[in-house]
């Protein structure tokens, strides 16, 4: 069965610092991968999706970027974090509904 | 009007109660409807997946879709404390479309 690994589980970062969140997938090949952010009271927001290595689509303009250096690896990055980047970040793949990772709770202070 | 509306709750019920969770939507083109359960500090997990109008049952859970009213429901029978979680509805235009529109979630607490 397919499994999504995300780390770290919790992260506290100062404003202006860089960010790198990693997601890896097991049990499937060539998956479509997604980064979502879940902010309090705002629901799930699609940030990026990727249909293959090096292919990234952005859903909302923002302070974040994504990369897919390998088939089963999806990375979310920022060069300089803002307070508004705080939230719960979820990596997911889609097959008749999403399978989500366990998420990273990011607090920017 | 937002595409998907979901009452955030919180909803608190005693153990054994029947729980009804609901979402309304505005886009009549939505065809596939899902319910996710999210425990605190965890990613959402898919609970139910339904197509078009009708009911689908899985154990204590029943998903109901009324396309004429643009209204979907999730019923939980004999609710348990382990059902305490946030429940999110989601929907999309085609089964293969991966761009889901999510509700904001309803927080449910089942008290022993």
């Amino acid at each position: 069965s397919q499994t999504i690994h995300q780390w770290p589980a919790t992260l506290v970062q100062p404003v202006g610092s860089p960010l790198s969140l990693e997601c890896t997938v097991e049990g499937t090949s060539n998956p479509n991968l997604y980064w979502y952010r879940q902010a309090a009271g705002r629901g799930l927001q699609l940030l990026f999706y990727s249909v293959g290595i090096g292919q990234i689509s952005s859903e909302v303009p923002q302070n974040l970027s994504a990369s897919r250096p390998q088939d089963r690896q999806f990375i979310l990055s920022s060069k300089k974090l803002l307070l508004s980047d705080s939230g719960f970040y979820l990596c997911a793949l889609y097959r008749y509904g999403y399978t989500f990772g366990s998420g990273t709770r990011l607090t920017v202070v | 009007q937002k595409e998907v509306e979901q009452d955030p709750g919180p909803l608190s019920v005693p153990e054994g109660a029947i729980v009804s969770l609901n979402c309304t939507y505005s886009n009549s083109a939505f065809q596939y409807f899902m319910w996710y359960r999210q425990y605190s500090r965890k990613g959402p997990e898919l609970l139910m997946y339904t197509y078009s109008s009708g009911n689908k049952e899985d154990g204590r859970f029943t998903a109901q879709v009324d396309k004429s009213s643009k209204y979907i429901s999730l019923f939980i029978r004999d609710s348990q404390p382990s059902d305490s979680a946030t429940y999110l509805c989601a929907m999309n235009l085609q089964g293969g479309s991966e761009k889901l529109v999510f509700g904001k979630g309803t927080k449910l607490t089942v008290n022993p």
Side-chain angles (χ1 to χ4, degrees):
Chain A
S1 63
Q2 50 207 21
T3 308
I4 299 176
H5 299 281
Q6 263 190 267
W7 65 92
T10 305
L11 194 58
V12 179
Q13 292 283 97
V15 169
S17 64
L19 174 74
S20 180
L21 300 181
E22 188 163 343
C23 167
T24 58
V25 177
E26 290 181 359
T28 185
S29 58
N30 196 30
N32 288 357
L33 297 175
Y34 303 79
W35 278 111
Y36 275 88
R37 177 169 60 201
Q38 189 176 33
R42 297 189 62 184
L44 278 162
Q45 180 186 32
L46 178 62
L47 302 176
F48 300 96
Y49 68 95
S50 171
V51 299
I53 296 173
Q55 300 180 66
I56 307 293
S57 296
S58 174
E59 286 293 304
V60 261
Q62 59 209 322
N63 185 42
L64 302 169
S65 62
S67 62
R68 187 159 174 188
Q70 299 180 39
D71 181 47
R72 300 177 192 180
Q73 185 184 30
F74 202 22
I75 298 172
L76 183 69
S77 304
S78 173
K79 292 182 179 178
K80 289 185 178 181
L81 283 169
L82 306 171
L83 287 173
S84 57
D85 292 323
S86 294
F88 191 44
Y89 288 84
L90 291 155
C91 180
L93 61 84
Y94 187 89
R95 181 175 176 83
Y96 296 108
Y98 282 107
T99 298
F100 287 93
S102 55
T104 295
R105 187 162 300 280
L106 171 67
T107 303
V108 182
V109 296
Chain B
Q1 182 186 10
K2 295 190 186 300
E3 275 198 294
V4 179
E5 299 269 13
Q6 185 176 9
D7 187 338
L11 183 61
S12 182
V13 301
E15 184 175 354
I18 297 174
V19 176
S20 173
L21 303 167
N22 312 296
C23 287
T24 59
Y25 61 95
S26 57
N27 189 345
S28 58
F30 284 135
Q31 294 188 48
Y32 292 83
F33 305 90
M34 286 142 272
W35 284 95
Y36 287 82
R37 177 176 61 196
Q38 185 175 21
Y39 291 114
S40 181
R41 298 184 179 276
K42 300 291 184 183
E45 56 178 330
L46 182 63
L47 221 98
M48 301 286 280
Y49 184 100
T50 57
Y51 168 71
S52 199
S53 286
N55 291 358
K56 182 176 181 179
E57 190 172 318
D58 184 0
R60 296 184 295 111
F61 298 89
T62 300
Q64 191 173 78
V65 175
D66 182 348
K67 290 194 72 181
S68 62
S69 303
K70 301 195 190 75
Y71 189 87
I72 67 170
S73 301
L74 178 70
F75 297 97
I76 307 174
R77 292 185 300 279
D78 187 26
S79 56
Q80 303 294 310
S82 59
D83 295 327
S84 298
T86 296
Y87 291 80
L88 299 99
C89 63
M91 51 200 76
N92 64 358
L93 298 174
Q94 302 171 13
S97 170
E98 300 167 25
K99 294 196 177 180
L100 298 184
V101 180
F102 284 88
K104 291 185 179 180
T106 300
K107 185 172 183 179
L108 170 69
T109 300
V110 181
N111 301 300

